[in-house]
Amino acid sequence: MTLNLCVLTPNRMIWDSEVKEIILSTNSGQIGVLPNHAPIATAVDIGLLRIRRNGQWLTVALMGGFARISNNEITILGNDAEISTDIDPQEAKQTLEIAEANLSRAEGKRQAIESNLALRRARTRVEAVNVISY
Amino acid sequence: MSSSHLSMLSSPKFSDLDSLSSRSFLSGLCLPAGAAASPRPSPSSTGVVHCGLRELRTRIDSVKNTQKITEAMKLVAAAKVRRAQQAVVSGRPFSETLVEVLYNINEQLQTDDIDVPLTSARIADIKSLGLDFVVLSVGKKGNSFFQRRPHIPVDRFLELGGLPTTKDAQAIADDVFSLFVSEEVDKVELLYTKFVSLVKSDPVIHTLLPLSPKGEICDINGVCVDAADDELFRLTTKEGKLTVERESFRTPTPAFSPILQFEQDPVQILDALLPLYLNSQILRALQESLASELAARMSAMSSATDNAIELKKSLSTVYNRQRQAKITGEILEIVAGAEALV
């Protein structure tokens, strides 16, 4: 019994295949999903999505969204998603530094919200590249 | 091709020499009566071209080059429209699923008693205040327009390179979201050109925020379209010409499983869904704007190419006529000279 995982972003489908297990970062913590999970709908936080397939773990940097799990079908709608192998480590680090600089320069509530979001996203991308796969 | 039985110049364009029939020394030649039947292009199409042969030649060459350029631009635009349409198609699964989810969450919410701050209950409050607006401009033309009008408050200028990506849409969505959430603005409207067909684009205004409680996308005139009704455009060929077909379809919205549990409370879920909705709407608007721009460029280049072809044709006719007149003049001089010697 395998799970079918579908990761969608506004401009294309990032992932559509069968998986054994996933670990999802939600607003209320990380949840692991195995086959025959109870149906739930949850908001997804900006963080890593780890996928186990054929005994190997893959990492996807997910920029927030929504996930629905029912009947062994997982549908994740993300604002943006990048598979860790598609991320360039140097570029991710640079983006993180720029985001940190922007946050320290932010004035006002609005800029603070924006730069916070950008920082979290950049951090997730760097984490996705650095994660050890076991 | 005139059916002449002349023994003299066998050039097929001899029919054009009927203009010289008035000259007496040509009376020995019998000009074909039917020659005048070949219609001369009306002089009004080129005016009367008085330049010399060399200038005409140069002009014809430059028109030929222009034609090549415009045709190339048309083909490039056509290829890009196809890609833009591909992008819209690959964005479909996302919007379909999102619509499904939104519908079901709305249904669930309407049975619960939840105070959702992002729905149109706030519009009543807003209407009592005056209208103050700020513009977020995207694209070169818009940017230069607003830069020349400093009295319109512009929040940010954005420019896109090529096909709009999720990151571009995200940047705009972030801005909108933070403005809305920090209560600096109360209503967000999206203004873009909707791609109707290869020759027609409609500017439309959609209310992006606040969301209507029934999951509808509302126009500025209050015309609401169900979010589940989606329209797609497709570039196809009909009778050998490129056309665009729009097909509207309705996303199937099956009900959620009734035992579906929400991991967080509905407000948080909606908070998560909102950026998704914003992103997909903005991305869709960007893609449609790009497609309308490309379609307009395609049709403009296509008519420019046709004009160039016509211009070349009439210029060539004038050129040839002048060339033949020159040749005839030289022949006449020789004949007159020969006769004078005799």
Side-chain angles (χ1 to χ4, degrees):
Chain A
M1 267 290 238
T2 44
L3 297 173
N4 214 350
L5 173 68
C6 208
V7 180
L8 300 171
T9 58
N11 62 347
R12 65 190 178 106
M13 195 181 294
I14 304 279
W15 190 283
D16 185 14
S17 83
E18 292 195 341
V19 299
K20 299 259 171 55
E21 179 186 346
I22 68 164
I23 299 184
L24 195 55
S25 302
T26 71
N27 293 342
S28 42
Q30 289 200 328
I31 58 173
V33 180
L34 288 165
N36 290 330
H37 196 284
I40 64 167
T42 167
V44 175
D45 206 5
I46 299 177
L48 299 179
L49 165 71
R50 322 222 11 253
I51 303 169
R52 178 162 71 90
R53 187 176 68 157
N54 298 337
Q56 275 205 316
W57 285 94
L58 292 155
T59 317
V60 174
L62 199 46
M63 307 302 172
F66 178 86
R68 178 181 71 190
I69 302 162
S70 74
N71 245 350
N72 281 333
E73 293 265 342
I74 310 177
T75 313
I76 302 184
L77 298 171
N79 286 318
D80 197 1
E82 279 172 275
I83 306 186
S84 57
T85 47
D86 292 338
I87 304 178
D88 174 22
Q90 288 296 357
E91 185 256 330
K93 238 178 235 132
Q94 277 178 349
T95 318
L96 179 62
E97 281 159 23
I98 296 174
E100 280 168 352
N102 277 340
L103 180 60
S104 53
R105 276 185 307 151
E107 322 159 336
K109 188 170 173 195
R110 196 189 119 202
Q111 285 197 1
I113 297 176
E114 269 183 45
S115 26
N116 235 324
L117 281 177
L119 178 66
R120 287 172 68 199
R121 277 192 215 114
R123 201 172 278 154
T124 307
R125 290 179 81 224
V126 172
E127 278 176 14
V129 180
N130 290 339
V131 86
I132 315 159
S133 54
Y134 47 87
Chain B
M1 192 83 79
S2 54
S3 54
S4 61
H5 302 286
L6 296 170
S7 52
M8 270 216 70
L9 301 167
S10 52
S11 151
K13 295 175 193 90
F14 192 53
S15 53
D16 287 334
L17 285 180
D18 51 359
S19 59
L20 300 170
S21 55
S22 54
R23 302 209 196 175
S24 46
F25 14 140
L26 285 182
S27 52
L29 301 164
C30 56
L31 293 165
S38 75
R40 226 181 292 162
S42 60
S44 57
S45 59
T46 49
V48 181
V49 182
H50 282 305
C51 37
L53 280 177
R54 209 170 295 149
E55 284 86 355
L56 270 178
R57 180 93 246 144
T58 322
R59 239 188 113 177
I60 292 176
D61 283 341
S62 89
V63 167
K64 212 190 293 184
N65 277 339
T66 310
Q67 182 198 329
K68 279 193 207 150
I69 293 173
T70 55
E71 190 152 347
M73 284 182 77
K74 175 182 116 181
L75 292 175
V76 164
K80 284 192 183 164
V81 167
R82 221 158 301 172
R83 275 204 310 167
Q85 157 209 343
Q86 270 294 72
V88 170
V89 166
S90 33
R92 256 177 73 178
F94 185 89
S95 14
E96 279 177 27
T97 322
L98 184 63
V99 158
E100 236 186 274
V101 168
L102 269 176
Y103 244 56
N104 285 296
I105 299 229
N106 265 329
E107 308 243 317
Q108 300 238 347
L109 275 189
Q110 278 173 15
T111 52
D112 312 339
D113 221 5
I114 305 271
D115 179 30
V116 187
L118 290 167
T119 54
S120 52
R122 293 195 61 204
I123 292 188
D125 311 319
I126 299 160
K127 280 219 168 92
S128 51
L129 314 163
L131 270 184
D132 201 10
F133 62 90
V134 140
V135 170
L136 216 162
S137 153
V138 181
K140 252 191 298 193
K141 284 284 183 292
N143 290 349
S144 54
F145 178 86
F146 285 113
Q147 262 160 1
R148 259 182 258 128
R149 285 160 181 75
H151 60 274
I152 300 178
V154 175
D155 181 64
R156 206 201 277 195
F157 294 107
L158 290 163
E159 278 200 22
L160 297 175
L163 214 52
T165 63
T166 328
K167 295 213 165 50
D168 302 321
Q170 179 102 74
I172 301 174
D174 277 350
D175 212 7
V176 167
F177 191 63
S178 57
L179 274 172
F180 198 77
V181 163
S182 64
E183 299 188 9
E184 280 181 42
V185 296
D186 305 300
K187 188 168 182 212
V188 180
E189 284 171 355
L190 193 56
L191 170 64
Y192 63 100
T193 45
K194 192 169 150 105
F195 181 66
V196 177
S197 77
L198 274 180
V199 294
K200 186 162 174 232
S201 297
D202 286 332
V204 291
I205 306 181
H206 274 157
T207 306
L208 203 56
L209 293 171
L211 292 172
S212 91
K214 289 199 211 89
E216 292 169 337
I217 304 172
C218 285
D219 203 351
I220 193 168
N221 298 323
V223 174
C224 286
V225 166
D226 222 333
D229 284 333
D230 196 8
E231 268 197 325
L232 251 218
F233 58 87
R234 236 172 4 119
L235 190 69
T236 55
T237 52
K238 207 192 274 185
E239 298 160 358
K241 288 201 193 138
L242 289 173
T243 54
V244 168
E245 284 172 1
R246 282 204 91 105
E247 46 183 45
S248 65
F249 71 103
R250 203 192 151 85
T251 321
T253 49
F256 267 4
S257 141
I259 52 171
L260 193 78
Q261 222 185 349
F262 290 109
E263 195 76 7
Q264 297 94 20
D265 51 286
V267 179
Q268 276 196 314
I269 303 239
L270 270 188
D271 272 350
L273 283 175
L274 186 72
L276 291 175
Y277 162 75
L278 278 185
N279 276 353
S280 67
Q281 291 292 94
I282 292 176
L283 187 67
R284 184 61 188 270
L286 289 173
Q287 285 167 342
E288 292 232 0
S289 306
L290 180 70
S292 352
E293 182 198 327
L294 290 172
R297 183 167 302 150
M298 244 181 87
S299 65
M301 287 302 111
S302 156
S303 51
T305 309
D306 291 338
N307 287 346
I309 292 175
E310 253 190 63
L311 187 60
K312 197 175 85 171
K313 223 184 279 182
S314 52
L315 278 180
S316 298
T317 312
V318 173
Y319 171 78
N320 285 325
R321 216 179 297 143
Q322 277 209 5
R323 187 174 55 88
Q324 287 150 39
K326 188 165 155 216
I327 292 172
T328 308
E330 286 172 11
I331 292 175
L332 292 173
E333 278 171 33
I334 294 171
V335 166
E339 285 209 13
L341 287 175
V342 166

